[in-house]
Amino acid sequence: MSADPTQTAGPQTASPGVAGGQVVVLPVAGLPEIGAGADLAALISDATPDLRDGDILVVTSKIVSKAEGRVMSGDREAFIDAEAVRTVARRGQTRIVTTRHGLVMAAAGVDNSNTAPGTVVLLPVDPDASAARLRAGLEARRGLTVGVIVSDTMGRPWRTGQTDTAIGAAGLTPLRDHRGQADTFGNLLEVTVAAVADEIAAAADLVKGKTTQIPVAIVRGLPEFVTAADGPGAAALIRPAEEDMFRLGTADVLAERRTVREFTTDPVDPAAVRRAIAAALTAPAPHHSEPWRFAVLESAAARTALLDQMLAAWQADLRGDGFTEEQIARRVRRGEPLRRAPLIIVPCLLAEAAHEYPDQRRNAAERAMFAVSMGAAVQNLLVALAIEGLGSCWVSSTLFCQPVAAAALDLPPGWEPMGAVGVGHPAAAARPRPDRDPDRFTVTR
Ligand SMILES: Cc1cc2nc3c(=O)[nH]c(=O)nc-3n(C[C@H](O)[C@H](O)[C@H](O)COP(=O)(O)O)c2cc1C
């Protein structure tokens, strides 16, 4: 086989009986129940006497898994845990996860249909390699150049119903890139990349079936997609995380926020900050009030002025406590995350809607209500920044010298600084968060 992935199987693939542009999808009947160690290439070869150069064989992953010994006995949930690298979304018992292969699918593809009770079938370890092996086996037996797709059924987040998709492929151009071509009106196509392998897998599913015992189909009439080399496989269909606008599932969103204390020097997009502040403004608040305010320090001069004046106030406090200059120098180093942040947001509380009571107890409760509402707003802010890919570090600093910070920032009357949030692009991944057992934090009455 040639190493050139763009080289097609050539004109010998023009199938008699198939007119130009016509595609036929043929079910492959007569395959036996597949067990571990089965020679799939031999079985499929025997069942497809009419297989031709340029055909594309679509093979349900279930039989590939069975042949590869991926049928397991035991707890389905435990197998899903083992196959998943990330939970994307969860509703009730249903879990959408990213598998080790990078596929996003329900239950990590761990399936208990079409297998003996008490057993589950896991996806092939490397579906592209499975497709390549099957293709090599068919070529060795028959001398034919065919494409092979290993297919599996997936739901789609925005569409009802499932379709089959290519989770493995060999000898096939998986994507047809139309970008840069002109349409019939002369408009340049800018984004169109056809997921050919998925389209073929879905077409094949029309004649295969979970209940009809037809796990293989031949798609004939698309020889232009069949390549001499194995090619990039179905891995090419996995959207890179950085291009994925929906990367975070509902289960990920809250965990995405981590305290980040080291930032790159990349600037922060003011529009992202504005969106995050809009999210902060959805926090609950007492008395139907809107007590949240934000000072956004975009300029280095504003940040330095605030940090220098807070530092002086902190040092004065520590001197008052009797610390030595060396001890003071060590302590104030803790303020450094803010120095390294390319942007600072100072969340402020404007508690003008707080009710006044004649007694201290109720006034304190009133203050606490507004303070917790501010906490909710800041959490929203930090989560929204994380969704934008921005790290943040909410530090106490301004809370301990509110008049100094308010003066340094020339805040409007009544704005009480509630700490400071350093914002920037994280310089490193956060350490894994410790698992916390809700039972340890909960009493149930
Ligand atoms: C009100 C408040 C004040 C904080 N002050 C500081 C601080 O002064 N310096 C700091 O490094 N982190 C500060 N933090 C961040 C915590 O240290 C951080 O939340 C904790 O380490 C847990 O990490 P995580 O946020 O990634 O879950 C503060 C957090 C809160 C809520």
Side-chain angles (χ1 to χ4, degrees), residues 413-436:
W415 286 34
E416 302 173 45
M418 303 294 280
V421 179
V423 183
H425 294 272
R431 270 177 294 160
R433 186 188 296 276
D435 262 348
R436 290 181 180 134

mmCIF file of all heavy atoms in Angstrom, residues 413-436:
data_model
loop_
_atom_site.group_PDB
_atom_site.id
_atom_site.type_symbol
_atom_site.label_atom_id
_atom_site.label_comp_id
_atom_site.label_asym_id
_atom_site.label_seq_id
_atom_site.Cartn_x
_atom_site.Cartn_y
_atom_site.Cartn_z
ATOM 1 N N PRO A 413 -19.548 56.811 46.533
ATOM 2 C CA PRO A 413 -19.919 56.685 47.950
ATOM 3 C C PRO A 413 -20.684 55.379 48.224
ATOM 4 O O PRO A 413 -21.536 54.990 47.422
ATOM 5 C CB PRO A 413 -20.830 57.887 48.202
ATOM 6 C CG PRO A 413 -20.557 58.827 47.087
ATOM 7 C CD PRO A 413 -20.059 58.042 45.925
ATOM 8 N N GLY A 414 -20.357 54.733 49.325
ATOM 9 C CA GLY A 414 -21.088 53.541 49.750
ATOM 10 C C GLY A 414 -20.553 52.239 49.166
ATOM 11 O O GLY A 414 -20.948 51.156 49.611
ATOM 12 N N TRP A 415 -19.648 52.272 48.204
ATOM 13 C CA TRP A 415 -19.099 51.033 47.634
ATOM 14 C C TRP A 415 -18.056 50.469 48.600
ATOM 15 O O TRP A 415 -17.052 51.111 48.872
ATOM 16 C CB TRP A 415 -18.410 51.294 46.286
ATOM 17 C CG TRP A 415 -19.315 51.549 45.125
ATOM 18 C CD1 TRP A 415 -20.518 52.177 45.139
ATOM 19 C CD2 TRP A 415 -19.048 51.195 43.762
ATOM 20 N NE1 TRP A 415 -21.049 52.240 43.873
ATOM 21 C CE2 TRP A 415 -20.155 51.649 43.002
ATOM 22 C CE3 TRP A 415 -18.011 50.559 43.104
ATOM 23 C CZ2 TRP A 415 -20.245 51.463 41.619
ATOM 24 C CZ3 TRP A 415 -18.091 50.390 41.736
ATOM 25 C CH2 TRP A 415 -19.189 50.829 41.001
ATOM 26 N N GLU A 416 -18.317 49.263 49.113
ATOM 27 C CA GLU A 416 -17.394 48.639 50.065
ATOM 28 C C GLU A 416 -16.611 47.534 49.361
ATOM 29 O O GLU A 416 -17.211 46.520 48.960
ATOM 30 C CB GLU A 416 -18.172 48.005 51.227
ATOM 31 C CG GLU A 416 -19.044 48.973 51.998
ATOM 32 C CD GLU A 416 -19.900 48.220 53.004
ATOM 33 O OE1 GLU A 416 -19.367 47.335 53.707
ATOM 34 O OE2 GLU A 416 -21.109 48.488 53.046
ATOM 35 N N PRO A 417 -15.311 47.657 49.191
ATOM 36 C CA PRO A 417 -14.535 46.603 48.526
ATOM 37 C C PRO A 417 -14.611 45.289 49.314
ATOM 38 O O PRO A 417 -14.493 45.282 50.535
ATOM 39 C CB PRO A 417 -13.109 47.162 48.522
ATOM 40 C CG PRO A 417 -13.264 48.631 48.698
ATOM 41 C CD PRO A 417 -14.477 48.809 49.562
ATOM 42 N N MET A 418 -14.835 44.192 48.592
ATOM 43 C CA MET A 418 -14.999 42.875 49.223
ATOM 44 C C MET A 418 -13.910 41.917 48.718
ATOM 45 O O MET A 418 -14.188 40.887 48.110
ATOM 46 C CB MET A 418 -16.379 42.299 48.900
ATOM 47 C CG MET A 418 -17.539 43.197 49.320
ATOM 48 S SD MET A 418 -17.687 43.384 51.110
ATOM 49 C CE MET A 418 -18.509 41.849 51.532
ATOM 50 N N GLY A 419 -12.660 42.298 48.966
ATOM 51 C CA GLY A 419 -11.558 41.510 48.445
ATOM 52 C C GLY A 419 -11.165 42.005 47.075
ATOM 53 O O GLY A 419 -11.572 43.102 46.656
ATOM 54 N N ALA A 420 -10.373 41.231 46.391
ATOM 55 C CA ALA A 420 -9.943 41.591 45.033
ATOM 56 C C ALA A 420 -9.782 40.294 44.255
ATOM 57 O O ALA A 420 -9.389 39.266 44.814
ATOM 58 C CB ALA A 420 -8.626 42.355 45.074
ATOM 59 N N VAL A 421 -10.120 40.346 42.974
ATOM 60 C CA VAL A 421 -10.036 39.148 42.133
ATOM 61 C C VAL A 421 -8.974 39.382 41.052
ATOM 62 O O VAL A 421 -9.157 40.270 40.196
ATOM 63 C CB VAL A 421 -11.397 38.824 41.475
ATOM 64 C CG1 VAL A 421 -11.276 37.586 40.578
ATOM 65 C CG2 VAL A 421 -12.476 38.607 42.535
ATOM 66 N N GLY A 422 -7.887 38.635 41.121
ATOM 67 C CA GLY A 422 -6.889 38.653 40.050
ATOM 68 C C GLY A 422 -7.407 37.795 38.903
ATOM 69 O O GLY A 422 -7.940 36.707 39.132
ATOM 70 N N VAL A 423 -7.300 38.297 37.677
ATOM 71 C CA VAL A 423 -7.840 37.574 36.514
ATOM 72 C C VAL A 423 -6.763 37.476 35.440
ATOM 73 O O VAL A 423 -6.035 38.448 35.183
ATOM 74 C CB VAL A 423 -9.065 38.321 35.923
ATOM 75 C CG1 VAL A 423 -9.670 37.528 34.759
ATOM 76 C CG2 VAL A 423 -10.118 38.565 36.986
ATOM 77 N N GLY A 424 -6.657 36.323 34.817
ATOM 78 C CA GLY A 424 -5.703 36.170 33.712
ATOM 79 C C GLY A 424 -5.757 34.765 33.158
ATOM 80 O O GLY A 424 -6.534 33.923 33.624
ATOM 81 N N HIS A 425 -4.956 34.531 32.149
ATOM 82 C CA HIS A 425 -4.882 33.184 31.580
ATOM 83 C C HIS A 425 -3.979 32.336 32.474
ATOM 84 O O HIS A 425 -2.853 32.745 32.779
ATOM 85 C CB HIS A 425 -4.345 33.253 30.154
ATOM 86 C CG HIS A 425 -5.289 33.966 29.231
ATOM 87 N ND1 HIS A 425 -6.302 33.311 28.556
ATOM 88 C CD2 HIS A 425 -5.419 35.284 28.928
ATOM 89 C CE1 HIS A 425 -6.995 34.205 27.862
ATOM 90 N NE2 HIS A 425 -6.477 35.401 28.065
ATOM 91 N N PRO A 426 -4.473 31.179 32.922
ATOM 92 C CA PRO A 426 -3.681 30.359 33.842
ATOM 93 C C PRO A 426 -2.338 29.970 33.222
ATOM 94 O O PRO A 426 -2.272 29.619 32.045
ATOM 95 C CB PRO A 426 -4.559 29.112 34.057
ATOM 96 C CG PRO A 426 -5.935 29.507 33.636
ATOM 97 C CD PRO A 426 -5.772 30.566 32.596
ATOM 98 N N ALA A 427 -1.273 30.054 34.036
ATOM 99 C CA ALA A 427 0.059 29.676 33.534
ATOM 100 C C ALA A 427 0.263 28.168 33.648
ATOM 101 O O ALA A 427 1.149 27.617 33.006
ATOM 102 C CB ALA A 427 1.128 30.422 34.316
ATOM 103 N N ALA A 428 -0.545 27.502 34.469
ATOM 104 C CA ALA A 428 -0.385 26.054 34.645
ATOM 105 C C ALA A 428 -1.739 25.469 35.031
ATOM 106 O O ALA A 428 -2.624 26.192 35.504
ATOM 107 C CB ALA A 428 0.637 25.770 35.743
ATOM 108 N N ALA A 429 -1.878 24.164 34.813
ATOM 109 C CA ALA A 429 -3.131 23.497 35.201
ATOM 110 C C ALA A 429 -3.201 23.428 36.725
ATOM 111 O O ALA A 429 -2.167 23.290 37.393
ATOM 112 C CB ALA A 429 -3.165 22.097 34.604
ATOM 113 N N ALA A 430 -4.412 23.565 37.251
ATOM 114 C CA ALA A 430 -4.592 23.479 38.709
ATOM 115 C C ALA A 430 -4.352 22.045 39.168
ATOM 116 O O ALA A 430 -4.544 21.102 38.398
ATOM 117 C CB ALA A 430 -6.004 23.921 39.074
ATOM 118 N N ARG A 431 -3.928 21.927 40.416
ATOM 119 C CA ARG A 431 -3.805 20.576 40.977
ATOM 120 C C ARG A 431 -5.191 19.962 41.133
ATOM 121 O O ARG A 431 -6.171 20.698 41.304
ATOM 122 C CB ARG A 431 -3.128 20.647 42.350
ATOM 123 C CG ARG A 431 -1.612 20.542 42.243
ATOM 124 C CD ARG A 431 -0.984 20.687 43.593
ATOM 125 N NE ARG A 431 -1.193 22.038 44.124
ATOM 126 C CZ ARG A 431 -1.111 22.364 45.405
ATOM 127 N NH1 ARG A 431 -0.859 21.458 46.304
ATOM 128 N NH2 ARG A 431 -1.308 23.602 45.792
ATOM 129 N N PRO A 432 -5.286 18.624 41.077
ATOM 130 C CA PRO A 432 -6.625 18.025 41.203
ATOM 131 C C PRO A 432 -7.283 18.448 42.515
ATOM 132 O O PRO A 432 -6.617 18.555 43.547
ATOM 133 C CB PRO A 432 -6.345 16.517 41.198
ATOM 134 C CG PRO A 432 -4.953 16.363 40.695
ATOM 135 C CD PRO A 432 -4.220 17.642 40.929
ATOM 136 N N ARG A 433 -8.557 18.690 42.428
ATOM 137 C CA ARG A 433 -9.316 19.095 43.612
ATOM 138 C C ARG A 433 -9.521 17.881 44.526
ATOM 139 O O ARG A 433 -9.800 16.791 44.038
ATOM 140 C CB ARG A 433 -10.668 19.604 43.139
ATOM 141 C CG ARG A 433 -11.558 20.192 44.187
ATOM 142 C CD ARG A 433 -12.922 20.449 43.579
ATOM 143 N NE ARG A 433 -12.857 21.448 42.524
ATOM 144 C CZ ARG A 433 -12.882 22.769 42.751
ATOM 145 N NH1 ARG A 433 -12.983 23.228 43.973
ATOM 146 N NH2 ARG A 433 -12.822 23.607 41.758
ATOM 147 N N PRO A 434 -9.372 18.052 45.835
ATOM 148 C CA PRO A 434 -9.624 16.899 46.712
ATOM 149 C C PRO A 434 -11.092 16.474 46.631
ATOM 150 O O PRO A 434 -11.969 17.332 46.527
ATOM 151 C CB PRO A 434 -9.284 17.417 48.105
ATOM 152 C CG PRO A 434 -9.341 18.908 47.987
ATOM 153 C CD PRO A 434 -9.043 19.275 46.563
ATOM 154 N N ASP A 435 -11.324 15.180 46.654
ATOM 155 C CA ASP A 435 -12.700 14.680 46.686
ATOM 156 C C ASP A 435 -13.318 15.026 48.032
ATOM 157 O O ASP A 435 -12.706 14.770 49.067
ATOM 158 C CB ASP A 435 -12.698 13.151 46.527
ATOM 159 C CG ASP A 435 -12.990 12.775 45.092
ATOM 160 O OD1 ASP A 435 -13.415 13.672 44.330
ATOM 161 O OD2 ASP A 435 -12.785 11.598 44.751
ATOM 162 N N ARG A 436 -14.493 15.601 48.025
ATOM 163 C CA ARG A 436 -15.151 15.901 49.300
ATOM 164 C C ARG A 436 -16.467 15.148 49.341
ATOM 165 O O ARG A 436 -17.270 15.244 48.421
ATOM 166 C CB ARG A 436 -15.371 17.404 49.446
ATOM 167 C CG ARG A 436 -14.052 18.153 49.651
ATOM 168 C CD ARG A 436 -14.234 19.640 49.834
ATOM 169 N NE ARG A 436 -12.932 20.279 50.017
ATOM 170 C CZ ARG A 436 -12.536 21.391 49.386
ATOM 171 N NH1 ARG A 436 -13.351 21.996 48.544
ATOM 172 N NH2 ARG A 436 -11.342 21.898 49.593
#
